[in-house]
Amino acid sequence: MIKEFICKGCEDKCVVSLDWDEENMEINGNRCEEAFSYAKEARYDNKDIFTTLVRIKGAKCNVVPVKSSKPMDKKLWVECSKALSMLHVGAPIKIGDVVCHNLLNTGVDILCTKNADKM
């Protein structure tokens, strides 16, 4: 099985290709040794930081970027997007403000990643 992903083991952020079967594991595209340990975890881990946009009222912009406070299972991302599509936040809002507590009872908060002032 082959899986491609961006390695976050170091600052290089290489695009790594991981090919494995029951006996062997081969990594291509890595620039450091950290990629090997990161790839072993990514092989079984299906979690990552969820990012999206949320609508905002009373600001110059119509949307504000947000992200999850910790990695979430990727299987939940579509449901999270649906839930957040019904949400409107009010300006002003600052980086790090919690937009949604405990999204879908996952224990994960959704945080604002851009400042948005009132009009």
Side-chain angles (χ1 to χ4, degrees):
M1 179 175 201
I2 298 175
K3 181 176 181 179
E4 288 188 337
F5 56 92
I6 296 173
C7 177
K8 298 173 188 165
C10 71
E11 293 178 7
D12 288 341
K13 307 293 186 251
C14 306
V15 176
V16 177
S17 175
L18 175 63
D19 186 10
W20 77 90
D21 58 23
E22 292 182 20
E23 298 175 10
N24 301 315
M25 187 168 84
E26 181 180 336
I27 298 174
N28 295 311
N30 61 311
R31 294 185 206 153
C32 71
E33 293 300 317
E34 294 294 322
F36 189 75
S37 60
Y38 186 84
K40 286 171 83 173
E41 290 179 29
R43 178 177 162 186
Y44 298 109
D45 188 21
N46 200 25
K47 292 183 177 185
D48 207 349
I49 298 293
F50 172 69
T51 61
T52 189
L53 299 172
V54 172
R55 291 182 223 167
I56 187 167
K57 292 181 180 179
K60 293 178 184 177
C61 54
N62 294 329
V63 293
V64 65
V66 296
K67 70 174 187 171
S68 60
S69 59
K70 57 186 175 184
M72 296 180 67
D73 192 340
K74 291 180 182 178
K75 293 177 184 175
L76 296 174
W77 285 13
V78 172
E79 291 301 316
C80 291
S81 294
K82 288 179 184 178
L84 291 173
S85 71
M86 296 182 264
L87 182 68
H88 288 77
V89 296
I93 191 165
K94 305 257 185 247
I95 295 173
D97 285 352
V98 177
V99 172
C100 180
H101 288 284
N102 194 17
L103 180 64
L104 299 178
N105 292 324
T106 58
V108 177
D109 295 335
I110 300 299
L111 308 173
C112 180
T113 60
K114 182 179 177 182
N115 293 330
D117 296 324
K118 279 188 172 183
M119 282 201 298

